[in-house]
Amino acid sequence: MTDYFTETGSAETVNARVGEGTDPRLATVMAALVRHLHAFIKEVQLTGDEWDVAIEFLTRTGQICSNERQEFILLSDTLGVSMLVDALNNRRPAPATENTVLGPFHVADAPMRSMGDTISQGGKGEPCLYRGRVFDLAGNPVAGALIDVWSDNEDGFYDVQQPGLQPKWNNRGRFLTGADGAYHFFGIRPVSYPIPHDGPVGMMLQALGRHPWRPAHTHFMVSAPGYERIVTHTFVAGDRYLESDAVFGVKASLIVDFVPDPTGQAQWCADFDFVMVPA
Ligand code: BEZ
Ligand code: FE
């Protein structure tokens, strides 16, 4: 049968062209993508002008990308796709620590620091003691867990957003737990900030009546041999954007009370334990 393109059989015609030697997973994913894309276009009865706008939007999304700016990650985050992919791939039993969105501001190989050090190089912001322990599911301490932490500064910017203005590695560091699985270090109480919104994603949010703000949070990536890596944040309880995070990253288990530091060393103290699951 000749498979000329028709409106009704559009997706099937495209998918029938896939060659025999194609990687099976690629064939499955692409066939589903084509099916859903064609169904979407039919559902909304997309006009030619609307498709031109979409092409222009994606073109600008690519054009604004650089080493410091990843607009496609922002697009994925603001559409809830990053959180959905993470949810599908990181189902964990309680009381394991839940993941949340990685975001575009992680930098690999931050300086290794000693317990009790500060990650705040700028000397501004409200000082905060971060402390807790890393456990396995049975409640045993995890020794040798690498805690990679990063946060914004007192004005809501990561160091990589303000090169030359902020010291390199400001509000970043890595810490290794000892036999008791404990960690403690100093940083600042983070502040809520808008995700970069001067590009196509910002225009999309505005057109949809959505704000670009994220509630105040501190990022953590915790890894240890034999355990699943945790990519998460702690969120500051009481933040006005907890229920409307622009990237849908908030989970109830990750909200932490920042209390006056009982040790008197800092203004605030945030206690949080991480629970890891076997790899
Ligand atoms: C962040 O928390 O660093 C972030 C996450 C998603 C988009 C933009 C920023
Ligand atoms: Fe962040």
Short mmCIF file of all heavy atoms in Angstrom, two decimals, residues 101-105 150-152 158 191 193 195 214-219 233, ligand 2:
data_model
loop_
_atom_site.label_atom_id
_atom_site.label_comp_id
_atom_site.label_asym_id
_atom_site.label_seq_id
_atom_site.Cartn_x
_atom_site.Cartn_y
_atom_site.Cartn_z
N VAL A 101 14.40 19.28 41.56
CA VAL A 101 15.03 19.73 40.31
C VAL A 101 16.50 20.15 40.54
O VAL A 101 16.83 20.76 41.55
CB VAL A 101 14.19 20.88 39.73
CG1 VAL A 101 14.18 22.09 40.63
CG2 VAL A 101 14.63 21.27 38.35
N LEU A 102 17.37 19.78 39.60
CA LEU A 102 18.79 20.14 39.71
C LEU A 102 19.00 21.63 39.43
O LEU A 102 19.75 22.30 40.14
CB LEU A 102 19.62 19.31 38.71
CG LEU A 102 21.09 19.70 38.54
CD1 LEU A 102 21.88 19.44 39.82
CD2 LEU A 102 21.72 18.93 37.37
N GLY A 103 18.33 22.15 38.41
CA GLY A 103 18.53 23.54 38.02
C GLY A 103 19.81 23.72 37.23
O GLY A 103 20.63 22.81 37.13
N PRO A 104 19.99 24.91 36.66
CA PRO A 104 21.13 25.13 35.76
C PRO A 104 22.37 25.69 36.45
O PRO A 104 23.35 25.97 35.78
CB PRO A 104 20.57 26.18 34.79
CG PRO A 104 19.60 26.96 35.61
CD PRO A 104 19.03 26.03 36.64
N PHE A 105 22.37 25.83 37.77
CA PHE A 105 23.48 26.54 38.41
C PHE A 105 24.43 25.66 39.19
O PHE A 105 25.28 26.16 39.93
CB PHE A 105 22.93 27.66 39.32
CG PHE A 105 22.15 28.70 38.57
CD1 PHE A 105 20.85 29.03 38.94
CD2 PHE A 105 22.71 29.35 37.49
CE1 PHE A 105 20.13 29.99 38.25
CE2 PHE A 105 22.00 30.31 36.78
CZ PHE A 105 20.71 30.63 37.16
N TRP A 150 25.15 24.26 47.21
CA TRP A 150 25.26 25.56 46.55
C TRP A 150 23.98 26.36 46.80
O TRP A 150 22.90 25.81 46.92
CB TRP A 150 25.57 25.44 45.06
CG TRP A 150 24.56 24.84 44.13
CD1 TRP A 150 23.78 25.49 43.24
CD2 TRP A 150 24.26 23.43 43.96
NE1 TRP A 150 23.01 24.60 42.52
CE2 TRP A 150 23.28 23.33 42.94
CE3 TRP A 150 24.71 22.26 44.56
CZ2 TRP A 150 22.76 22.11 42.52
CZ3 TRP A 150 24.18 21.04 44.15
CH2 TRP A 150 23.23 20.98 43.15
N SER A 151 24.16 27.67 46.95
CA SER A 151 22.98 28.53 47.14
C SER A 151 23.23 29.89 46.51
O SER A 151 24.35 30.22 46.12
CB SER A 151 22.66 28.69 48.63
OG SER A 151 23.36 29.79 49.18
N ASP A 152 22.16 30.66 46.45
CA ASP A 152 22.28 32.03 45.94
C ASP A 152 22.88 32.93 47.03
O ASP A 152 23.07 32.50 48.17
CB ASP A 152 20.92 32.56 45.46
CG ASP A 152 19.86 32.60 46.56
OD1 ASP A 152 20.07 32.00 47.63
OD2 ASP A 152 18.80 33.23 46.35
N TYR A 158 23.39 33.45 41.96
CA TYR A 158 24.49 32.50 42.12
C TYR A 158 25.77 33.16 41.63
O TYR A 158 25.74 34.07 40.79
CB TYR A 158 24.19 31.22 41.32
CG TYR A 158 23.05 30.44 41.93
CD1 TYR A 158 21.72 30.73 41.61
CD2 TYR A 158 23.29 29.45 42.87
CE1 TYR A 158 20.68 30.05 42.20
CE2 TYR A 158 22.25 28.76 43.47
CZ TYR A 158 20.95 29.06 43.12
OH TYR A 158 19.90 28.39 43.72
N VAL A 191 17.72 33.44 49.87
CA VAL A 191 16.54 34.28 49.62
C VAL A 191 15.83 33.79 48.35
O VAL A 191 16.45 33.16 47.49
CB VAL A 191 16.93 35.78 49.46
CG1 VAL A 191 17.59 36.29 50.73
CG2 VAL A 191 17.83 36.00 48.25
N TYR A 193 14.29 34.04 44.67
CA TYR A 193 14.80 34.78 43.51
C TYR A 193 14.02 34.38 42.27
O TYR A 193 13.47 33.28 42.21
CB TYR A 193 16.31 34.50 43.30
CG TYR A 193 16.64 33.06 42.97
CD1 TYR A 193 16.57 32.60 41.67
CD2 TYR A 193 17.01 32.17 43.97
CE1 TYR A 193 16.87 31.28 41.36
CE2 TYR A 193 17.30 30.85 43.68
CZ TYR A 193 17.22 30.41 42.38
OH TYR A 193 17.50 29.10 42.08
N ILE A 195 13.83 33.05 38.48
CA ILE A 195 14.69 32.37 37.50
C ILE A 195 14.95 33.37 36.37
O ILE A 195 14.18 34.33 36.20
CB ILE A 195 14.03 31.08 36.96
CG1 ILE A 195 12.74 31.38 36.20
CG2 ILE A 195 13.79 30.08 38.09
CD1 ILE A 195 12.22 30.18 35.41
N ARG A 214 11.25 31.58 42.54
CA ARG A 214 11.47 30.34 43.27
C ARG A 214 11.53 30.68 44.76
O ARG A 214 12.14 31.69 45.15
CB ARG A 214 12.81 29.70 42.89
CG ARG A 214 12.90 29.25 41.44
CD ARG A 214 13.69 27.95 41.36
NE ARG A 214 12.99 26.91 42.08
CZ ARG A 214 13.55 25.83 42.61
NH1 ARG A 214 14.85 25.66 42.50
NH2 ARG A 214 12.83 24.93 43.25
N PRO A 215 10.93 29.84 45.60
CA PRO A 215 11.07 30.06 47.04
C PRO A 215 12.51 29.85 47.47
O PRO A 215 13.25 29.10 46.83
CB PRO A 215 10.15 28.99 47.65
CG PRO A 215 10.03 27.94 46.61
CD PRO A 215 10.17 28.62 45.28
N ALA A 216 12.91 30.52 48.57
CA ALA A 216 14.30 30.42 49.05
C ALA A 216 14.66 28.96 49.31
O ALA A 216 13.89 28.22 49.93
CB ALA A 216 14.44 31.22 50.33
N HIS A 217 15.84 28.57 48.83
CA HIS A 217 16.26 27.17 48.96
C HIS A 217 17.77 27.06 48.92
O HIS A 217 18.46 27.94 48.39
CB HIS A 217 15.66 26.33 47.83
CG HIS A 217 16.06 26.82 46.48
ND1 HIS A 217 15.37 27.81 45.81
CD2 HIS A 217 17.12 26.50 45.69
CE1 HIS A 217 15.97 28.06 44.66
NE2 HIS A 217 17.04 27.29 44.56
N THR A 218 18.27 25.95 49.45
CA THR A 218 19.68 25.61 49.39
C THR A 218 19.79 24.27 48.67
O THR A 218 19.07 23.33 49.02
CB THR A 218 20.27 25.49 50.81
OG1 THR A 218 19.97 26.69 51.54
CG2 THR A 218 21.77 25.27 50.77
N HIS A 219 20.65 24.22 47.64
CA HIS A 219 20.79 22.98 46.85
C HIS A 219 21.77 22.01 47.51
O HIS A 219 22.82 22.43 48.01
CB HIS A 219 21.37 23.30 45.47
CG HIS A 219 20.48 24.10 44.59
ND1 HIS A 219 19.75 23.55 43.56
CD2 HIS A 219 20.21 25.43 44.56
CE1 HIS A 219 19.08 24.50 42.93
NE2 HIS A 219 19.34 25.66 43.52
N HIS A 233 16.90 20.01 47.39
CA HIS A 233 17.08 21.29 48.08
C HIS A 233 16.46 21.15 49.47
O HIS A 233 15.61 20.30 49.70
CB HIS A 233 16.30 22.47 47.50
CG HIS A 233 16.19 22.67 46.05
ND1 HIS A 233 17.01 22.11 45.11
CD2 HIS A 233 15.31 23.46 45.36
CE1 HIS A 233 16.64 22.54 43.92
NE2 HIS A 233 15.61 23.35 44.03
FE FE B 2 18.42 27.50 43.03
#
